[in-house]
């Protein structure tokens, strides 16, 4: 069994109202969370997932990453795995075993991921002690911590409309252009084609 799995929200019957329509959302499950090492800097990575044509992983540091200023917090980072640079707007949610949102963090719009900065996230998303407190009902009965990762869908660039020309008119224009070239003349003004260039 993998210590980290990725599923779709639909598989868990979660309410669509907790997700944005124009965003793609995935659930990342960190199994046996209470048994994970909590040394600062120790991390787990989700399996790769794809969004907006790019590959990503979510990195979880149960005891915080090395740059955490306030120890005792769980750190989460989105890591870009594809070549080249990209931008993304994303958010992460910690949900409890009932699917209720406990913590939400959202990136700035169009956060840049490139060769100098392939990670973005938060050092202090939630206190480790809260996650481990059974009375908070964060971990499910199998000890799994579930994080929702949502990424805004990148707009698909609109294709430029190609001018349409009536095929018969196009053939007439070709003949006229050839005729003018052979005679070394300028094109008549009413053709809709500029002779300057």
């Amino acid at each position: 069994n993998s210590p980290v799995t990725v599923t779709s929200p639909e598989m868990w019957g979660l309410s669509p109202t907790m997700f944005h329509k124009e965003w793609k959302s995935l659930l990342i499950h960190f199994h046996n969370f209470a048994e994970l090492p909590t040394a600062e800097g120790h991390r787990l990575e989700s399996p790769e997932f794809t969004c907006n044509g790019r590959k990503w992983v979510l990195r979880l540091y149960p005891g915080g990453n090395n740059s955490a200023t306030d120890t005792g917090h769980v750190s989460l980072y989105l890591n870009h795995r594809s070549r080249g640079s990209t931008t993304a707007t994303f958010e992460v949610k910690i949900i409890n075993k009932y699917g209720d949102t406990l913590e939400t963090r959202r990136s700035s719009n169009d956060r840049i991921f490139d060769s100098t900065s392939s990670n973005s996230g938060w050092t202090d998303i939630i206190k480790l002690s809260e996650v481990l407190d059974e009375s908070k009902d964060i971990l499910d009965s199998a000890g799994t911590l579930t994080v929702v990762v949502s990424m805004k869908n990148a707009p698909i660039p609109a294709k430029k409309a190609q001018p349409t020309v009536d095929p018969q008119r196009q053939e007439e224009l070709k003949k006229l252009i050839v005729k003018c070239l052979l005679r070394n003349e300028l094109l008549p003004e009413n053709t809709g084609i500029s002779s300057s260039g």
Side-chain angles (χ1 to χ4, degrees):
N1 288 339
S2 176
V4 187
T5 57
V6 178
T7 61
S8 69
E10 296 80 19
M11 288 182 66
W12 289 82
L14 293 176
S15 167
T17 59
M18 76 182 295
F19 306 105
H20 310 285
K21 278 186 178 180
E22 65 278 359
W23 295 54
K24 178 178 180 176
S25 297
L26 296 168
L27 281 78
I28 314 290
H29 308 280
F30 295 92
H31 304 289
N32 300 310
F33 184 85
E35 297 170 22
L36 296 176
T38 57
E40 189 176 303
H42 174 79
R43 76 173 185 227
L44 270 85
E45 289 188 350
S46 72
E48 268 187 7
F49 55 92
T50 303
C51 191
N52 294 328
R54 299 292 187 154
K55 293 178 182 173
W56 307 88
V57 296
L58 185 68
R59 291 179 172 170
L60 172 105
Y61 298 79
N65 70 351
N66 294 332
S67 63
T69 54
D70 188 9
T71 58
H73 282 81
V74 176
S75 302
L76 280 173
Y77 288 85
L78 184 65
N79 177 255
H80 178 236
R81 289 291 177 95
S82 296
R83 289 185 178 194
S85 62
T86 191
T87 59
T89 302
F90 68 97
E91 76 176 19
V92 294
K93 293 180 181 186
I94 304 285
I95 61 173
N96 67 14
K97 66 183 182 181
Y98 305 112
D100 302 320
T101 301
L102 302 174
E103 291 289 336
T104 301
R105 302 283 173 89
R106 185 179 287 187
S107 71
S108 59
N109 286 335
D110 296 327
R111 167 72 176 83
I112 297 171
F113 293 84
D114 57 23
S115 60
T116 59
S117 180
S118 62
N119 294 303
S120 184
W122 299 272
T123 59
D124 59 350
I125 191 148
I126 193 169
K127 286 185 177 181
L128 177 60
S129 58
E130 283 186 44
V131 176
L132 298 175
D133 184 344
E134 289 184 20
S135 70
K136 302 276 185 187
D137 291 326
I138 296 174
L139 302 179
D140 69 12
S141 60
T144 300
L145 173 67
T146 300
V147 178
V148 179
V149 178
S150 300
M151 192 174 298
K152 190 173 185 180
N153 292 325
I156 298 169
K159 291 184 178 180
K160 291 184 179 180
Q162 296 295 323
T164 56
V165 178
D166 175 39
Q168 185 177 354
R169 175 82 173 130
Q170 189 175 14
E171 199 56 41
E172 290 171 8
L173 289 172
K174 282 181 188 177
K175 288 177 183 176
L176 181 59
I177 291 169
V178 170
K179 181 179 169 184
C180 290
L181 289 172
L182 291 174
R183 292 184 180 169
N184 201 19
E185 296 176 357
L186 295 176
L187 290 172
E189 288 186 32
N190 63 351
T191 61
I193 300 175
S194 171
S195 59
S196 62

